[in-house]
Amino acid sequence: MLSRLLPAQGPARVLTGITLVHTLGQGLWMALNAIYAITVLHLTPGQFGVGVGIAAGVALAVSTPTGHLADRIGPRSVQVWSFLALGPLTAALLAVDGFAQYVAVVSVQAVAYSASRSARMAMVAGLIPPEQRVTVRAYLRATSNVSVSVGAALAGLLLTVDSVGAYRLAVVLNASTYLATGLLTLLLPAVPAQPARPGPALIVLRDRPYLTFIVLDGLLSMHNLLLDVVLPLWVLHETDAPRWMIAAILLTNTVAVVLLQVRAARGTDEPPAAARASRSGSLCIAAACLVFSLTGAASATVAGALLLLGALAHVLGEIRQSAGSWGLSFGLAPEHAQGQYQGTYAMGADLGKMIAPALLTWLVIEFQGLGWLVMAAGFALVGAAMPAVTAWALRSQKAAADCVTA
């Protein structure tokens, strides 16, 4: 049974185990990050928000350069040292005294985290054959959902204790998972470093089709905040559905991703098929927004049923859009620069996460049903543009290859 739930033995299974340990700490810390900063470090909510925003900006700024570093010296080395650095950097939160120190620590953390993220995706590209990369990414995502849920449950236990000692223990546990992840990375084969090539170093910044894909993908990725941020506010303030529906929707999403993500990723390794998957996923997300728009004027029972129906449409769109996104991120990137391309690709989702909470919440709370309709149209239009952008990128790749040959 375990063999059916995990990828085949080899680098893919080791990557899955590494992800399991890494995201366990992430799930724990996501639930306690704000509480630790405000309760233990005595920061104000505003200071915490500013610190997180600065760290996010630092991670965005260094994402492409750290990906290029993974190409040049080898992604395994970058991943090992970035995770080993994250251990003591996370533990440094135990000694933070004041806002300035907090900003300094989380900013340096952001550099190491950005490097580890770029290196992880470059490891997938370097160790897994092209036709299996999206499937492996699907396994990693399914594993992440399980592990993050376990970490969140552990955070719930610490929250019941509700003491400074419990929250400091969470810091130690999170730091330990980073150290363990760095050491486990040594079990993977090394990916050869790429030699320097003539011309500009950060070629991805000149690849207009790929950058266009990143912008569109970042806009599509905003749907990830629908269930976490927007829908809970909608259920609480604009519908008669019981509050426990929020937990039921999130549980439905988690279980569906674990069970269906690998299957949904099949056949999306080539860019044209991946673009079609992104388009179909965006249409499912648009349909979910349309269903959610009907819940405001419905009775409690009908609203609950519609919310679950919309959640199912959303998760089907989520897993298809994610698979398409991975297929395009790998398939449109040159093999010798996967690190910097994957680092830049991650920036799209980061920008989406920064924009989505304020924009989508404003649409729904300010305009109610009309806001949901605007979101549905936006997701559908962005997804519809993916095949055209992919065709543009493939033409550019062919023209560049013809030029080199000539």
Side-chain angles (χ1 to χ4, degrees):
M1 184 181 295
L2 188 61
S3 297
R4 295 192 192 101
L5 296 175
L6 295 174
Q9 289 187 352
R13 185 169 291 190
V14 178
L15 284 166
T16 303
I18 290 171
T19 300
L20 185 70
V21 175
H22 170 51
T23 52
L24 177 68
Q26 281 192 317
L28 170 68
W29 191 240
M30 282 191 301
L32 297 176
N33 186 14
I35 294 173
Y36 182 84
I38 294 170
T39 303
V40 179
L41 302 182
H42 305 295
L43 302 182
T44 67
Q47 288 175 324
F48 170 70
V50 170
V52 171
I54 291 173
V58 171
L60 275 173
V62 302
S63 190
T64 301
T66 55
H68 177 59
L69 179 67
D71 290 326
R72 291 298 307 276
I73 69 175
R76 191 180 74 166
S77 297
V78 172
Q79 180 167 323
V80 168
W81 288 110
S82 60
F83 276 124
L84 292 181
L86 278 167
L89 286 172
T90 300
L93 289 171
L94 298 171
V96 163
D97 182 18
F99 175 63
Q101 291 185 15
Y102 177 75
V103 171
V105 169
V106 297
S107 296
V108 180
Q109 274 184 319
V111 175
Y113 178 79
S114 179
S116 71
R117 182 176 61 181
S118 300
R120 286 201 309 276
M121 293 306 98
M123 289 290 287
V124 173
L127 296 175
I128 307 300
E131 67 276 8
Q132 298 176 21
R133 290 171 184 168
V134 176
T135 300
V136 170
R137 281 287 272 128
Y139 275 114
L140 298 183
R141 184 159 190 262
T143 302
S144 297
N145 270 37
V146 174
S147 188
V148 166
S149 299
V150 174
L154 180 57
L157 294 177
L158 295 177
L159 284 169
T160 60
V161 178
D162 191 25
S163 68
V164 171
Y167 299 141
R168 290 186 180 278
L169 176 61
V171 175
V172 174
L173 292 175
N174 191 30
S176 300
T177 62
Y178 283 129
L179 293 174
T181 303
L183 295 175
L184 287 172
T185 302
L186 294 173
L187 299 176
L188 290 167
V191 176
Q194 296 292 331
R197 294 170 181 258
L202 302 180
I203 58 173
V204 67
L205 300 182
R206 296 169 179 257
D207 192 336
R208 289 182 294 172
Y210 197 84
L211 294 177
T212 304
F213 151 67
I214 289 172
V215 171
L216 295 179
D217 188 71
L219 293 174
L220 279 182
S221 72
M222 291 196 298
H223 72 77
N224 291 310
L225 277 297
L226 283 180
L227 301 191
D228 295 337
V229 178
V230 181
L231 201 60
L233 294 175
W234 174 258
V235 171
L236 289 176
H237 300 294
E238 304 295 339
T239 77
D240 293 326
R243 295 189 174 190
W244 56 262
M245 284 300 305
I246 298 171
I249 289 170
L250 293 174
L251 180 62
T252 299
N253 179 270
T254 299
V255 172
V257 169
V258 172
L259 295 178
L260 301 176
Q261 182 64 82
V262 175
R263 181 171 297 183
R266 292 172 183 168
T268 58
D269 301 288
E270 295 297 326
R276 292 192 294 271
S278 287
R279 181 178 59 191
S280 63
S282 70
L283 292 176
C284 288
I285 295 166
C289 292
L290 294 177
V291 174
F292 291 146
S293 71
L294 302 175
T295 59
S299 65
T301 302
V302 174
L306 288 174
L307 286 169
L308 283 178
L309 179 62
L312 289 173
H314 177 274
V315 76
L316 291 176
E318 177 184 342
I319 58 180
R320 284 296 286 172
Q321 186 272 325
S322 297
S325 175
W326 302 327
L328 292 171
S329 72
F330 288 124
L332 299 181
E335 289 300 314
H336 69 273
Q338 284 285 355
Q340 64 171 281
Y341 269 72
Q342 298 310 314
T344 308
Y345 160 70
M347 293 172 62
D350 286 345
L351 289 171
K353 290 176 184 176
M354 294 173 66
I355 297 170
L359 175 62
L360 301 187
T361 301
W362 172 71
L363 281 173
V364 167
I365 300 303
E366 185 71 22
F367 300 103
Q368 285 85 40
L370 179 60
W372 284 112
L373 297 179
V374 170
M375 275 195 282
F379 285 128
L381 289 173
V382 173
M386 278 297 187
V389 172
T390 300
W392 176 26
L394 293 175
R395 288 195 302 270
S396 297
Q397 282 184 345
K398 184 176 184 302
D402 292 343
C403 181
V404 170
T405 302

